[in-house]
């Protein structure tokens, strides 16, 4: 690899290292809490990469939804369930099967991303946020609405499950 | 062009230090103001002995805090205990980056600035949860859980409320939002949004009447019960930086930010922010605290529907009026 030419490149590499390190630590550590924090670091670093790739909106949404939402939710669930917090994770059943599944999935994703041609898309639109908004409520309206329906269904499902427990 | 990387990073570090110093000074000023305002409201005089009319009191307090011993409970989780205050203080300072202070002080005109301002405090919650849990203490733990629950609940109506401003301005950039208010500030066009923004902001920054996470009478001091010295000062800094950011952002979104006759924009923004800050302090020393369940009921059964109705009504009116 050639020497980094400017601050952006150097930051890109730095974020990449943090992301890879965070992801690795998240699966290696036996403390569930540390795993979640590492996941948060990984997600934040990915948001940094998005920002450097001129995808400001995606970067902020990444922080909003994943770091401020999902990670907080995981911490919240972990702390309310309590058992996993102070004790290391118990060994899972059939670790060989799990490892085989995880490795083959990871290898598949890696192979796919290395062999897929990613053509350059050309110039960015002047106002990317504007273009994104128009696409979401225009050409992509059906998928956008469908995601909304799926989320609504999951919320209702969660409510039903919680209510059953109480009876 | 060759860029000197060490020099760039040195400059970055320097700017970071400058930002933290400014926020520190701001905090000192706000604490003093809060003590003086509360004293006035309660018929006292407040701090008087350090400096003229007690003006140097907070400086003295800060020096005391920095020099204090850093106590860590024996059973606390060391890493999480150290990480907590950092994750609370850094986002609070970062959120100031997109506030357009006026000509000499525009730090970053991010084209998704409004979204950024709403997103960054989400990281704070992780810090609060960590601090509360790492302290290995029931008061801290309950405080941390309460604050995150409160934050998540009030984040939704607050964001929905800010959407009305974004719809009217047609942009997510804070600078564009200011531009759009050249003729009429949005507090005139969206009075109900302004009200909702103020109330949900008070809840989000954990101030009375919504300061459940650190309710002294039941939780000692909530998530920062076990903290002392500099780490405790970081929580305090974050709290006041958040208070200031919410007020300044409110001034930008609804009061036209730095626009005004004669005086430079920075002064106008400072005046408008100060008014909002004063109202925040006034409320703190006037209203009693809500109970935890009342607080959650208020968020989900009053503010969430109200903000949704507000959003739909604003959209309908905008449609009817034209542009």
């Amino acid at each position: 690899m050639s020497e980094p030419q400017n601050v952006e490149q150097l930051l890109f590499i730095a974020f990449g290292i943090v992301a890879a390190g965070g992801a690795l630590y998240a699966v290696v550590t036996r403390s569930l809490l540390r795993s979640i924090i590492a996941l948060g670091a990984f997600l934040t670093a990915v948001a940094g990469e998005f920002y450097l790739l001129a995808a400001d909106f995606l970067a902020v949404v990444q922080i909003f939804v994943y770091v401020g939402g999902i990670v907080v939710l995981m911490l919240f669930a972990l702390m309310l369930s309590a058992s996993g917090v102070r004790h290391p994770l118990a060994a899972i059943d059939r670790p060989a099967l799990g490892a085989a599944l995880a490795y083959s999935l990871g290898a598949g994703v890696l192979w796919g991303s290395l062999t897929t041609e990613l053509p350059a898309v050309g110039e960015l639109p002047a106002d990317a946020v504007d273009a994104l908004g128009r696409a979401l409520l225009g050409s992509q309206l059906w998928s956008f609405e469908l995601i909304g329906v799926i989320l609504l269904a999951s919320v209702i499902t969660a409510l039903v499950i919680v209510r059953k427990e109480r009876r | 062009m060759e860029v000197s990387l060490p020099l760039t990073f040195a400059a970055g570090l320097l700017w970071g230090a400058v930002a933290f110093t400014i926020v520190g000074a701001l905090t000192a000023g706000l604490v003093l103001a809060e003590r003086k305002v509360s004293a006035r409201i309660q018929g006292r005089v407040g701090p008087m002995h350090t400096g003229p009319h007690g003006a140097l009191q907070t400086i003295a307090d800060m020096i005391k805090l920095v020099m204090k011993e850093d106590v860590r409970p024996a059973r606390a989780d060391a890493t999480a205990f150290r990480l907590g205050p950092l994750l609370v203080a850094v986002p609070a300072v970062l959120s100031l980056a997109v506030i357009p202070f006026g000509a000499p002080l525009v730090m970053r005109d991010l084209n998704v600035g409004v979204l950024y301002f709403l997103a960054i405090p989400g990281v704070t919650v992780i810090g609060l949860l960590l601090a509360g849990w790492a302290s290995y203490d029931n008061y801290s733990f309950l405080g941390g859980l309460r604050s995150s629950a409160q934050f998540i609940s009030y984040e939704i109506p607050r964001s929905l409320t800010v959407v009305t401003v974004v719809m009217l301005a047609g942009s997510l950039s804070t600078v564009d939002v200011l531009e759009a208010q050249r003729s009429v500030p949005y507090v005139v066009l969206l009075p109900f949004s302004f009200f909702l923004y103020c109330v949900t902001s008070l809840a989000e920054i954990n101030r009375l009447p919504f300061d459940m996470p650190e309710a002294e009478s039941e939780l000692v001091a909530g998530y920062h019960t076990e903290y002392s010295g500099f780490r405790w000062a970081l929580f305090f800094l974050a709290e006041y930086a958040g208070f200031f950011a919410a007020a300044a952002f409110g001034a930008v979104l609804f009061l036209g930010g730095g626009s005004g006759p004669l005086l430079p924009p920075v002064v106008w923004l400072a005046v408008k922010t100060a008014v909002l800050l004063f109202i925040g302090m006034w409320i703190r020393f006037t209203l009693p605290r809500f109970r935890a369940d009342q607080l959650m009921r208020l968020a989900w059964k009053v503010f969430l529907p109200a903000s949704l109705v507000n959003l739909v009504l604003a959209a309908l009116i905008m449609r009817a009026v034209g542009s």
Side-chain angles (χ1 to χ4, degrees):
Chain A
M1 192 191 286
S2 58
E3 285 277 296
Q5 291 303 306
N6 51 31
V7 182
E8 273 81 13
Q9 266 186 28
L10 199 75
L11 278 177
F12 193 83
I13 295 167
F15 277 135
I17 293 169
V18 174
L24 195 66
Y25 189 71
V27 290
V28 171
T29 178
R30 306 208 85 186
S31 148
L32 205 46
L33 183 90
R34 289 187 182 189
S35 174
I36 295 174
I37 298 302
L39 189 70
F42 159 73
L43 291 167
T44 312
V46 172
E49 303 277 44
F50 284 154
Y51 179 74
L52 290 173
L53 292 170
D56 308 14
F57 184 77
L58 204 57
V60 174
V61 167
Q62 168 94 358
I63 301 257
F64 209 169
V65 176
Y66 284 95
V67 183
I70 306 284
V71 170
V72 169
L73 214 61
M74 284 171 136
L75 277 177
F76 210 57
L78 174 74
M79 287 177 180
L80 284 179
S81 66
S83 63
V85 184
R86 304 206 187 278
H87 310 291
L89 282 177
I92 48 166
D93 293 345
R94 293 192 221 166
L97 183 67
L101 267 176
Y103 279 127
S104 48
L105 196 69
V109 171
L110 197 65
W111 182 76
S113 57
L114 285 179
T115 52
T116 310
E117 286 272 324
L118 293 171
V121 282
E123 286 291 298
L124 274 175
D127 193 344
V129 181
D130 185 82
L132 191 66
R134 280 178 203 285
L136 277 181
L137 291 181
S139 56
Q140 307 296 321
L141 184 64
W142 278 106
S143 17
F144 188 66
E145 292 293 327
L146 265 180
I147 294 169
V149 173
I150 292 171
L151 286 176
L152 183 67
S154 48
V155 168
I156 293 173
T157 315
L159 283 176
V160 169
I161 293 171
V162 171
R163 280 192 83 84
K164 241 180 196 166
E165 223 166 67
R166 203 172 279 172
R167 248 180 247 155
Chain B
M1 202 187 87
E2 193 66 33
V3 208
S4 164
L5 289 177
L7 211 65
T8 319
F9 276 96
L13 277 180
L14 189 68
W15 274 113
V18 168
F20 260 91
T21 313
I22 293 176
V23 173
L26 210 68
T27 305
L30 275 177
V31 171
L32 185 70
E34 177 124 54
R35 293 180 69 175
K36 281 291 183 188
V37 168
S38 74
R40 225 359 107 91
I41 287 173
Q42 297 168 343
R44 299 181 284 118
V45 287
M48 284 301 277
H49 294 292
T50 322
H53 282 263
L56 299 176
Q57 183 63 50
T58 356
I59 311 280
D61 286 345
M62 278 179 151
I63 294 170
K64 182 202 78 173
L65 275 176
V66 172
M67 291 171 70
K68 260 175 130 172
E69 185 192 352
D70 178 36
V71 183
R72 181 161 54 82
R75 299 178 73 187
D77 181 313
T79 323
F81 194 78
R82 291 202 191 103
L83 204 57
L86 279 182
L87 281 179
V88 173
V90 172
V93 177
L94 278 181
S95 63
L96 292 168
V98 289
I99 292 172
F101 286 104
L105 280 172
V106 183
M107 279 180 253
R108 196 91 179 92
D109 178 18
L110 207 62
N111 65 354
V112 283
V114 176
L115 201 61
Y116 170 93
F117 186 85
L118 294 173
I120 289 298
V123 182
T124 308
V125 182
I126 301 178
L128 297 182
L129 273 174
L130 273 186
W133 173 79
S135 300
Y136 211 100
D137 161 32
N138 288 338
Y139 296 125
S140 304
F141 186 54
L142 274 178
L145 283 182
R146 269 190 191 176
S147 73
S148 56
Q150 174 175 336
F151 189 93
I152 295 167
S153 309
Y154 279 89
E155 195 178 16
I156 302 165
R158 192 184 190 215
S159 304
L160 283 172
T161 304
V162 172
V163 168
T164 58
V165 173
V166 173
M167 279 199 312
L168 208 53
S171 172
L172 280 167
S173 151
T174 44
V175 175
D176 288 352
V177 169
L178 272 189
E179 276 302 309
Q181 295 179 71
R182 272 255 140 179
S183 47
V184 194
Y186 283 164
V187 64
V188 181
L189 299 175
L190 300 163
F192 195 56
S193 289
F194 180 61
F195 170 73
L196 280 177
Y197 174 83
C198 290
V199 177
T200 51
S201 291
L202 280 180
E204 193 152 308
I205 53 179
N206 294 337
R207 281 185 65 89
L208 262 166
F210 304 107
D211 70 337
M212 292 313 307
E214 39 190 307
E216 296 95 338
S217 50
E218 41 190 302
L219 288 183
V220 189
Y223 54 84
H224 55 62
T225 304
E226 299 293 346
Y227 282 88
S228 61
F230 189 65
R231 289 185 216 286
W232 186 84
L234 275 182
F235 281 120
F236 222 64
L237 184 104
E239 201 173 311
Y240 279 91
F243 185 28
F244 176 80
F249 201 62
V252 167
L253 286 187
F254 294 100
L255 304 181
S259 63
L262 291 172
L263 298 164
V266 188
V267 178
W268 271 111
L269 185 63
V271 169
K272 288 167 181 175
T273 306
V275 170
L276 289 183
L277 286 172
F278 174 72
I279 294 174
M281 293 174 186
W282 186 7
I283 289 172
R284 173 170 175 184
F285 291 98
T286 312
L287 295 179
R289 176 182 299 135
F290 282 105
R291 242 172 31 221
D293 60 316
Q294 291 171 329
L295 192 82
M296 297 309 267
R297 196 182 310 135
L298 205 61
W300 292 100
K301 295 191 173 168
V302 178
F303 285 122
L304 182 60
S307 60
L308 278 172
V309 168
N310 179 41
L311 182 64
V312 173
L313 276 184
L316 285 177
I317 292 170
M318 271 168 63
R319 191 83 197 174
V321 175
S323 61

